[in-house]
Amino acid sequence: GAGAEAKALDLLQHLERPRAWLPIDVSVEHLRQAVHRFRDLMPEVAARAYAGDFMRQIEIALPAETQRLLVFFPGSTLGNLK
């Protein structure tokens, strides 16, 4: 989920010109707070949150200028799959 935004931030800071961060989480309020914190730290990167369960199909609209895509699935999430 988006609770790993600190890990995502670390990763994005090492990429050349990241364009967007698209976190997914079941908690709308948690997403709202995470995106707010993220925008304060990396205002040049678009942040568009998706509320939902990533174990189900989610339609995600990628930015039009997307040339390459990196999917980050934090290992801490795996414990929730038991």
Side-chain angles (χ1 to χ4, degrees), residues 16-72:
E16 183 180 325
R17 292 182 293 132
R19 304 287 174 132
W21 177 55
L22 305 135
I24 301 170
D25 200 291
V26 295
S27 170
V28 173
E29 183 56 31
H30 183 80
L31 281 170
R32 191 173 293 127
Q33 292 173 13
V35 167
H36 180 76
R37 285 189 301 267
F38 182 85
R39 286 181 175 153
D40 284 345
L41 296 170
M42 291 192 82
E44 70 281 5
V45 178
R48 186 179 321 138
Y50 289 87
D53 182 352
F54 60 80
M55 296 297 289
R56 303 186 195 291
Q57 183 174 345
I58 299 174
E59 299 275 332
I60 295 178
L62 297 175
E65 68 278 356
T66 299
Q67 296 174 1
R68 294 181 287 171
L69 177 66
L70 171 68
V71 176
F72 171 65

